[in-house]
Amino acid sequence: MVLAMATRPAKERNFRLRWSLWRRAHQAVAARCKKASRAAKRVLHGEGAPEERSTDPKVSVLSVEGGLLTDEEWGMVEPLIPHKPPAGRPYHDHRTVLGGILWVARTGSSWREMPEEEYGKWERAYRRYELWVKQGLWEHILQVLGEEGLPGPTTAEGS
């Protein structure tokens, strides 16, 4: 196998090495997110805090409170949001998805760390956030909520 790798062109060999390094780094991030998610689920379901288990690595568990919208806030934001998509399936509950987006923005966490039980799938929130940014709606939502200084979720971990 080593001989076969040495006889390949340098360009292909460099590509494969870079790909391998990228893949290992990506897998490490995914493993950390999975551990944090499992720890958060244990705490939410009352199975004990991560500190009680000596075999688990120490992870920080973030509160779900970061994205909850009050009825007053939702009343201000709801008129801005389109309720029918241009085509295709109807939208999922905007209030839940917006809560997830705000949770990610306010806590500074990654999309994958978003609590699925409260806010739904992180992929859905990410896609909706990207759509609203492209439409310019995200800026209006932040203005209405009085959070213009909120930097917004990072989009580097969208994959």
Side-chain angles (χ1 to χ4, degrees):
M1 181 68 172
V2 175
L3 182 60
M5 187 72 165
T7 59
R8 291 188 176 155
K11 189 175 183 179
E12 181 182 350
R13 200 169 49 244
N14 288 338
F15 170 79
R16 287 177 182 265
L17 290 173
R18 283 193 313 270
W19 169 255
S20 177
L21 291 173
W22 178 88
R23 184 169 180 256
R24 281 189 221 127
H26 177 73
Q27 287 174 334
V29 169
R32 284 194 306 270
C33 290
K34 189 173 185 179
K35 286 178 186 176
S37 177
R38 284 182 178 167
K41 287 178 184 177
R42 278 196 306 269
V43 170
L44 287 174
H45 295 296
E47 296 176 15
E51 292 79 22
E52 296 173 5
R53 303 177 81 121
S54 60
T55 59
D56 285 345
K58 301 292 182 196
V59 293
S60 60
V61 179
L62 298 171
S63 170
V64 177
E65 300 298 320
L68 297 177
L69 288 172
T70 64
D71 291 335
E72 181 182 329
E73 289 174 327
W74 177 243
M76 294 186 301
V77 172
E78 185 179 20
L80 298 174
I81 301 173
H83 290 282
K84 289 188 176 183
R89 295 182 181 180
Y91 289 126
H92 284 86
D93 181 38
H94 286 300
R95 186 172 184 169
T96 305
V97 174
L98 179 59
I101 295 170
L102 288 172
W103 184 88
V104 171
R106 290 172 179 165
T107 61
S109 299
S110 71
W111 287 102
R112 293 174 191 255
E113 292 176 315
M114 187 178 82
E116 187 173 339
E117 292 81 16
E118 289 76 19
Y119 304 118
K121 296 181 179 180
W122 71 267
E123 296 95 337
R124 182 180 304 139
Y126 174 77
R127 284 192 305 268
R128 191 82 51 88
Y129 170 74
E130 286 293 306
L131 175 68
W132 289 348
V133 166
K134 287 177 187 173
Q135 293 174 343
L137 183 60
W138 181 244
E139 295 300 323
H140 292 296
I141 291 171
L142 291 178
Q143 288 172 357
V144 167
L145 293 176
E147 297 192 32
E148 293 91 354
L150 192 67
T154 60
T155 56
E157 192 176 331
S159 56

